[in-house]
């Protein structure tokens, strides 16, 4: 890292996203135009890192690419962009909370099975003694 910009490999390492994914995100418009050196190599601004991390967060919490593209779109002016992004994030938060509750319920089932197997093994070990 040279202090003012990141190569694609440095951005990949810093963001946890593969270089392939970074290029894909740029190609489909999730990332704005990325500066390039005279030799054509991408150079990411340090501000891009925060944006990429947000995209990673959205993707890893289940937001689909189409919704991410709607989130990124700047059509309609700044006020409408802010309103749209707020609405998308609120809807996504609701969906994440639903999934969080579902995962918590699944975890309870797993915990119950773990307890049952531990009890079985303890009973079997006690019976052998």
């Amino acid at each position: 890292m040279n202090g003012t910009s990141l190569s694609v490999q440095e951005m990949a390492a810093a963001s946890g996203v593969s270089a392939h994914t970074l290029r894909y995100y740029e190609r489909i418009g999730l990332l704005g135009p990325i500066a390039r050196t005279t030799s054509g190599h991408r150079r990411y601004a340090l501000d891009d890192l925060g944006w990429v991390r947000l995209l990673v967060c959205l993707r890893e919490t289940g937001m689909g690419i189409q919704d991410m593209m709607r989130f990124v779109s700047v059509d309609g002016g700044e006020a409408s962009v802010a309103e749209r992004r707020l609405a998308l994030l609120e809807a996504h938060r609701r969906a994440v909370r639903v999934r969080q509750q579902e995962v918590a319920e699944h975890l309870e089932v797993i915990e119950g099975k773990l307890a049952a197997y531990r009890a079985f093994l303890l009973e079997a070990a006690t019976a052998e003694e």
Side-chain angles (χ1 to χ4, degrees):
M1 185 161 56
N2 70 15
T4 59
S5 65
L6 304 169
S7 70
V8 70
Q9 293 82 9
E10 291 167 334
M11 177 60 94
S15 67
V17 174
S18 71
H20 173 77
T21 298
L22 289 169
R23 290 181 192 103
Y24 172 69
Y25 281 1
E26 181 184 2
R27 188 171 62 253
I28 66 171
L30 289 177
L31 289 172
I34 302 302
R36 299 200 182 235
T37 64
T38 54
S39 60
H41 293 97
R42 289 171 175 83
R43 295 304 300 181
Y44 294 86
L46 294 178
D47 290 344
D48 293 329
L49 181 57
W51 186 253
V52 170
R53 286 180 174 159
L54 174 61
L55 294 175
V56 168
C57 172
L58 295 175
R59 191 72 186 121
E60 288 187 355
T61 55
M63 183 178 280
I65 294 292
Q66 293 303 318
D67 281 337
M68 290 172 68
M69 291 175 74
R70 277 194 289 283
F71 180 80
V72 169
S73 173
V74 293
D75 294 341
E78 286 187 39
S80 98
V81 168
E83 289 172 2
R84 184 187 62 250
R85 287 180 178 173
L86 179 66
L88 278 166
L89 286 176
E90 286 176 340
H92 185 62
R93 178 181 59 188
R94 284 189 299 274
V96 168
R97 285 187 172 157
V98 166
R99 276 194 309 283
Q100 205 174 20
Q101 181 60 39
E102 291 168 350
V103 169
E105 290 168 6
H106 295 318
L107 185 57
E108 284 182 31
V109 171
I110 292 167
E111 295 290 352
K113 281 296 179 190
L114 284 167
Y117 285 120
R118 285 185 182 118
F120 173 79
L121 290 172
L122 181 61
E123 186 177 310
T126 305
E128 289 179 4
E129 292 177 359

